[in-house]
């Protein structure tokens, strides 16, 4: 990798505490101040995800009232949208159901009440995931060429080399944390290569991505401020990379491509930064948590592990199935721009709709026996983990490539991963994944 200007030489940024440590520290002192979740269908509560007991709550909603309203939660009132059909319906109407920051944005979280509109404007970096048409169309079109099949093919060799190096460095017969040694290492390494991010600072991508994805931090006012300070540092760091590439001839890394593309040049510096951050943070903990999810799923379903081990031709479909089963982003949010009827429910302008992908991917109307993995499931591709419609994940092909190569390289090494110790999940209603997973390797 070409050496990069190290931004740390130019300004100071923090690298600790992690978002999780900060929130857990806050909980120790202020836990009693947290608002209580009382509504039985209030699936914004994060304990059900960290304890992995969300499944029956969503199953009840899908069976009895797939679209339903909950009121008086710590995140205010919102509509739960829980099935494939209902989510696709909402996402197919982006004018009626907005993603824009101005209307409420893309997560269940709300900004703190005591922040002025000016402060809010300043703190919210414009990024196309939180824009409606026509702005969304132009900005997405600008980055989409970086994810064409030809570009992805070009990356495949590098992804494979990197994956092989990480897998070959793992110890056999000795317990280690798969999340830290494989999932985090591979995702940050790939993003660093893709964007030409300074290699020695790549751990920052994990640090920032965790602070960005932790919606629950919004419940702790002081931590919201810390989060915004950290975002400021992140923006400053990316700005230094941007300046670095501006002063150099075009190269193949994505920041250089973006800096030197005519279309990107039309964006304001804020928009440029916002979209860069979206790409880097959006591709981080999603892919990471699927890499952990694959190992967890294969361990939990030994019959399917036998399928994987005996027939590597299932791998492309297995990737889809593991993405369905894990669903690394539990939800996205939309806000109604006008009154509407949604399958008989009266939605009012301004209402918040939470699209629970985690539930739709267990929709028994679409997926037979949805709480089990079936690596040969014929319609695994119908999963909604990447969303649907105009905002469907722009990085899906890259994520699929990384996951496919990981499974192929594990298979080539006849690597079986057994969970032999502590498993800790993420305490969040947005990012759905694993913090820690102790494993031991053997050969099959
Ligand atoms: C397994 C991995 C991933 C999952 C599950 C995932 C999931 C999602 C979801 C749910 C959305 C919103 C879709 C919607 O609102 O309908 C999204 C959008 C997006 N994702 Fe991903 N993502 C993954 C990997 C990546 C990667 C690797 C990148 C880039 C390097 C990326 C970049 C983006 C961007 C830029 C958007 C915004 C698209 C738009 O608004 O038009 N994602 N992703």
């Amino acid at each position: 990798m070409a050496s990069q200007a190290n931004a740390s030489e130019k300004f100071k940024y923090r690298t600790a505490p992690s978002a999780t440590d900060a929130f857990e520290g806050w909980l120790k002192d202020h836990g009693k101040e947290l608002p209580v979740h009382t509504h039985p269908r209030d699936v914004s509560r994060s304990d059900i995800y960290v304890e992995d007991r969300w499944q029956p709550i969503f199953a009840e909603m899908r069976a009895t009232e797939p679209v339903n309203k909950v009121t008086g939660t710590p995140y205010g009132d919102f509509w739960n949208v829980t099935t494939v059909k209902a989510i696709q319906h909402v996402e197919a109407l982006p004018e009626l159901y907005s993603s824009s920051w101005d209307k409420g944005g893309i997560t269940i979280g709300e900004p703190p009440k005591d922040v002025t509109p000016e402060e809010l404007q300043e703190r919210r970096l414009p990024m196309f995931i939180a824009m409606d048409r026509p702005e969304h169309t132009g900005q997405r079109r600008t980055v989409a060429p970086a994810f064409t099949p030809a570009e992805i093919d070009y990356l495949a060799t590098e992804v494979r080399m990197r994956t092989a190096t990480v897998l070959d460095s793992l110890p056999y017969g000795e317990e280690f944390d798969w999340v830290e040694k494989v999932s985090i290492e591979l995702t940050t390494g790939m993003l660093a290569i893709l964007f030409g991010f300074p290699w020695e600072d790549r751990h920052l991508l994990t640090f920032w991505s965790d602070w960005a994805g932790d919606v629950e931090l919004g419940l702790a006012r002081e931590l919201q401020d810390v989060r915004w300070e950290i975002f400021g540092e992140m923006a400053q760091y990316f700005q230094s990379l941007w300046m670095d590439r501006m002063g150099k001839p075009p190269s193949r890394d994505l920041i250089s491509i973006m800096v030197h593309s005519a279309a990107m040049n039309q964006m304001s510096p804020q928009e440029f930064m916002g979209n860069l951050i979206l790409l880097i943070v959006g591709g981080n903990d999603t892919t990471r948590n699927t890499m952990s999810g694959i190992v967890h799923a294969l361990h939990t379903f030994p019959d399917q592990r036998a399928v994987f081990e005996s027939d590597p031709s299932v791998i492309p479909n297995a990737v889809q199935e593991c993405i369905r089963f894990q669903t690394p982003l539990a939800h996205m949010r939309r806000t109604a721009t006008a009154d509407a009827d949604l399958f008989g429910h009266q939605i009012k302008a301004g209402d918040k709709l939470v699209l629970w992908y985690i539930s739709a991917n267990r929709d028994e109307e679409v997926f037979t026996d949805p709480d089990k993995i079936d690596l040969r499931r014929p319609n695994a591709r119908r999963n909604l983990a990447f969303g649907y419609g105009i905002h469907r994940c722009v990085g899906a092909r890259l994520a699929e490539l990384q996951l496919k190569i990981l499974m192929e390289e594990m298979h080539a090494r006849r690597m079986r991963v057994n969970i032999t110790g502590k498993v800790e999940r993420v305490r969040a209603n947005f990012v759905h994944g694993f913090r820690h997973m102790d494993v031991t390797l053997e050969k099959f």
Side-chain angles (χ1 to χ4, degrees), residues 26-57:
W26 183 89
L27 274 181
K28 273 201 194 100
D29 299 334
H30 302 271
K32 291 202 177 70
E33 295 165 26
L34 268 185
V36 186
H37 300 255
T38 50
H39 197 293
R41 286 175 171 171
D42 178 5
V43 275
S44 70
R45 55 189 306 162
S46 58
D47 53 349
I48 60 174
Y49 305 101
V50 76
E51 292 162 16
D52 195 33
R53 53 184 181 81
W54 47 273
Q55 298 84 343
I57 312 175

Side-chain angles (χ1 to χ4, degrees), residues 228-241:
W228 271 313
E229 284 163 26
I230 288 174
F231 280 9
E233 292 164 9
M234 169 168 67
Q236 215 182 338
Y237 192 109
F238 282 117
Q239 197 164 1
S240 76
L241 296 185

Side-chain angles (χ1 to χ4, degrees), residues 91 99 106 128-130 136 140 143 147 191 194-195 275 278-280 282-284 286-287 290 323 327-329 331-332 334 355 357 384-396 398-400 402-403:
E91 291 217 54
S99 295
I106 52 156
F128 63 86
I129 197 168
H136 168 264
R140 180 173 166 122
V143 303
F147 298 95
L191 288 169
L194 186 64
F195 288 90
N275 285 323
L278 165 65
L279 284 166
I280 295 187
N284 198 352
T286 47
T287 313
T290 315
I323 292 172
T327 315
L329 290 182
H331 77 263
M332 283 278 156
R334 298 292 187 264
L355 315 179
Y357 300 134
L384 287 187
F386 292 115
Y388 181 79
I390 65 165
H391 286 282
R392 188 176 191 275
C393 179
V394 85
L398 176 63
E400 286 162 0
Q402 292 182 68
L403 298 166

Side-chain angles (χ1 to χ4, degrees), residues 226-297:
V226 176
R227 189 214 300 246
W228 271 313
E229 284 163 26
I230 288 174
F231 280 9
E233 292 164 9
M234 169 168 67
Q236 215 182 338
Y237 192 109
F238 282 117
Q239 197 164 1
S240 76
L241 296 185
W242 180 27
M243 301 300 284
D244 176 66
R245 300 311 139 81
M246 290 252 278
K248 289 184 178 156
S251 63
R252 195 130 194 190
D253 77 74
L254 266 181
I255 301 183
S256 180
I257 293 173
M258 285 162 76
V259 165
H260 292 283
S261 90
M264 275 310 226
N265 275 334
Q266 316 267 312
M267 285 187 196
S268 71
Q270 277 83 359
E271 280 174 336
F272 187 92
M273 298 305 294
N275 285 323
L276 189 51
I277 290 167
L278 165 65
L279 284 166
I280 295 187
V281 171
N284 198 352
D285 44 17
T286 47
T287 313
R288 178 211 312 175
N289 283 315
T290 315
M291 288 181 174
S292 306
I294 287 174
V295 160
H296 194 268

Side-chain angles (χ1 to χ4, degrees), residues 327-353:
T327 315
L329 290 182
H331 77 263
M332 283 278 156
R333 172 247 183 98
R334 298 292 187 264
T335 309
T337 57
D339 294 356
D341 177 289
L342 180 61
F343 299 106
H345 299 279
Q346 300 317 304
I347 309 289
K348 295 270 165 234
D351 277 4
K352 174 175 5 183
L353 290 88

Side-chain angles (χ1 to χ4, degrees), residues 59-76:
E60 182 277 325
M61 293 195 257
R62 286 193 305 273
T64 59
E65 204 183 1
V67 175
N68 62 79
K69 190 170 187 179
V70 288
T71 52
T73 86
Y75 297 94

